[in-house]
Amino acid sequence: MIDKEEIAEIRGKHHGKSTEKRRYITGLDGLRALAVIGVIFYHLMPGKMRGGYLGVPVFFVISGYLITDLLRQEWQSNGRIDLKSFYVRRIKRLYPALVTLLLGSTAYITLFQRNLLDNLRAIFLSSLTYVNNWWQISNGMSYFDRFNNESPFTHLWSLAVEGQNYLIWPILFILLMKFVPKKQNIAKFLFIGTLVSAILMAILYQPGSDPTRVYYGTDTRLFSIWLGSLLAFLWPSTQLSEKIPIQAKRVLNLAGGISLSTLILAFFFLDARYSFVYYGGLYLISLAALVLVATIAHPGANWNRWLTNPIFSYLGQRSYSIYLYQFPVMIFYEAKVKNIAENVWLHTVIELILIFGLSELSYRFIEKNKIKWRFDTLKQFFITLKEPMSTGKKIQYSLVTVVVLIGLFGIVTAPANLITQEQREFQEAVEKNTNAAKDTLINPKEPEEKVNEKPVNNESPTEEMQQIMTRYQLTKEQVIRGKQLEITAFGDSVMLGATLNLQEVFPHIIVDAVVGRQLYDSVEDLQKLKDKGLLKDTVLLGLGSNGTATQGQFEQLMAVLGNRKVYLVNVFVPTQRWQNDVNRLLADMAAKYENVTLIDWYDSSQGQVTWFREDSVHPNEIGLDAYTSLIAQEILKE
């Protein structure tokens, strides 16, 4: 991010003609404000702002444009680029707030949330060296998994992408300016580079799988930044005239309006799990951001003025700190509050207050150089401690020292790849159930002759039957019907965890359940089951734990299911904001379709803390018995 102070600093160092024309484009603060609002609400209210993650490519385009525009001005002014000054400015601009966040968050984790200490040293170092995106990729972290590996530093992947560009691009810029004299050819090079990056994203993306690799990769996200750099060659801010024909102004204003409308619509509706996003969607969004940046930067258009107001300026100037603190606040706060879903708006307001409060402190005392950042800051800090100062100042410095020491202690002592007993048991359970589910798909069991299993009234249940009756609170007749029933179970990780339990009651069950499965992208998988003849007349659906969906998306599922008898299990995810929205949707769909029966897992789970693992979502052994019992009693009732 480029701010007023950095532009002023650059202007003070270079006095060429082009340098004097530098201006701070206030409308870009407005665009930053919209981008950071999108990102925050994507995390706070994913059901309402499903495409808020698109604020990141908007930031990328702005960054690429401003950095390259300043490099071009410096080159025109001096015929060279002072690389040392460039890197020092970037460090002075970005590191103080980042280091403060990392040390402060680490101190909090060390004292109050020690379960997040795992791999903290590697996360800290990869964030400082701007390779956090590749570290997360190499360690199998997922940006989209709401229940595993969630970290207060997950969002730093985007800073790593920008940081890597800051390191490489100035050197590449110098080479291009020296050996490619025509700016048109440089623009062509950048354009081809953006296409290569976008095509690489499309090639590496695998539909139906977690898209984190292409979402995080510098190679697959560079196109947004380079589109901004491309704009700087075609649309240099110092060469744009304020006086343009009225028709040209109308065209610019219309283009800006269309691009802004496109971005706002995408923020609300373009979910990150849609395949379209990775097959050119992100590129198109970046192009829309490019057009909007161009119209804001042009002094002859009105968009710079329209996006300049006190609120947008306030948010835009603090967007870096807001972006830094939004995820740690959410992770720390929501770990302590287990009923987010029941009071979404209250908790959202509280989290926003915390985010903006910490961001304001960071902006005022860190970013605005109230604390002078120098390479010998630590040395100067301890010298200051020895000097005479007021009691208040002494307390302030002492508190900072304590936080830093606690943070460093946490970093030094943090374990690497630690797996708790609870996590190990959960992983083993997932593996067993996954293998069992795959076996039902590969080797489905055909039911035996029903007549041979018809009970005799005075016949005593077998020992195995008695165990099932006791464990799941079923009658002898229900157990026998369960053994005869052909059923297909389709769901997410909650249903996957119950595979072995469901097989006890329904030996002929076919289970297709996947960790992280979303309702809205399940139609294709359900159709595959149908095409293979594995979609039985009785279907058990367990979807919605991982996010929201719409009525239209559910209706697409029903179009595949047809007139089959469908049992719909609602969700219990009290730590996630979408719980009540999903359950309302499922209740409405059960009321709409005569062949759909709702199984109320949510209501049965109320107050049953001992049923769940530490994430409060996935049932433990006790909870799995209750989950299976609820399902079996509903399906097998008279």
Side-chain angles (χ1 to χ4, degrees), residues 455-526:
V456 178
N457 290 335
N458 60 357
E459 183 179 323
S460 299
T462 64
E463 182 179 348
E464 177 188 1
M465 187 182 295
Q466 186 64 55
Q467 288 177 348
I468 295 174
M469 290 167 59
T470 303
R471 185 172 186 181
Y472 301 115
Q473 302 174 24
L474 301 173
T475 66
K476 181 175 67 174
E477 289 74 15
Q478 286 176 320
V479 173
I480 292 174
R481 285 202 302 275
K483 286 187 175 183
Q484 296 171 347
L485 184 65
E486 292 185 276
I487 179 173
T488 299
F490 184 89
D492 51 35
S493 58
V494 175
M495 183 162 287
L496 175 65
T499 299
L500 292 171
N501 299 72
L502 290 169
Q503 279 185 311
E504 285 190 294
V505 180
F506 306 105
H508 306 294
I509 193 170
I510 292 170
V511 180
D512 186 342
V514 179
V515 174
R517 174 173 275 159
Q518 296 273 9
L519 189 154
Y520 64 74
D521 64 359
S522 296
V523 174
E524 185 177 346
D525 291 339
L526 205 59

Side-chain angles (χ1 to χ4, degrees), residues 1 102 249 309 353 395 420 480 485 487 598 603:
M1 177 181 172
L102 289 171
K249 174 176 284 194
N309 60 66
I353 291 172
I395 293 173
T420 65
I480 292 174
L485 184 65
I487 179 173
L598 184 69
D603 189 60

